[in-house]
Amino acid sequence: MSFIWTLIVGGLIGWLAGVLTGRDVPGGIIGNIIAGFIGAWLGSLIFGDFGPEIGGFAIVPAIIGAVILVLIVSFVLRKMRGNNNHRHA
């Protein structure tokens, strides 16, 4: 049960990051889970582990890290789409 709980909390963190940034996380539910896990890792590297912990995630750094991740991924995808539109055959 704890593995499922961890996936749910990771997905909610990724979803919340998308809501806070106003951007969709690519990949739907799986993308939200991945963004939650990577965001939690990134947030704990930058900010440490503080605040409440749910499902093995320190919530505050996890959400901040996921927001940073969503913004970076959104920026990269936008640049890639922009570069593809300007190619000539």
Side-chain angles (χ1 to χ4, degrees), residues 18 25 40 55 57-58 63 68-70 78 81 84-85:
V25 176
F57 296 99
I63 292 171
I68 292 169
L69 178 70
V70 168
R78 186 176 44 219
R81 284 187 202 120
N84 287 339
N85 290 337

Side-chain angles (χ1 to χ4, degrees), residues 54-77:
I54 300 173
F57 296 99
I59 296 300
V60 175
I63 292 171
I64 295 170
V67 165
I68 292 169
L69 178 70
V70 168
L71 290 173
I72 290 170
V73 168
S74 175
F75 175 78
V76 169
L77 289 176

Side-chain angles (χ1 to χ4, degrees), residues 3 10 25 34-35 47-48 53 58 70 73-74 76 81 83 86 88:
F3 177 71
V25 176
I34 292 169
F47 303 108
E53 187 175 309
V70 168
V73 168
S74 175
V76 169
R81 284 187 202 120
N83 289 341
H86 299 295
H88 300 286

Side-chain angles (χ1 to χ4, degrees), residues 4-5 10-11 20 22-23 29 31-32 34 41 43 51 53 58 61 67-68 71 74 77 79:
I4 294 172
W5 181 246
L20 291 173
R23 293 170 167 85
I29 293 171
N32 284 332
I34 292 169
W41 172 77
E53 187 175 309
V67 165
I68 292 169
L71 290 173
S74 175
L77 289 176
K79 288 295 183 184

Side-chain angles (χ1 to χ4, degrees), residues 2-23:
S2 65
F3 177 71
I4 294 172
W5 181 246
T6 302
L7 290 176
I8 291 169
V9 173
L12 288 173
I13 290 169
W15 170 79
L16 186 58
V19 169
L20 291 173
T21 59
R23 293 170 167 85

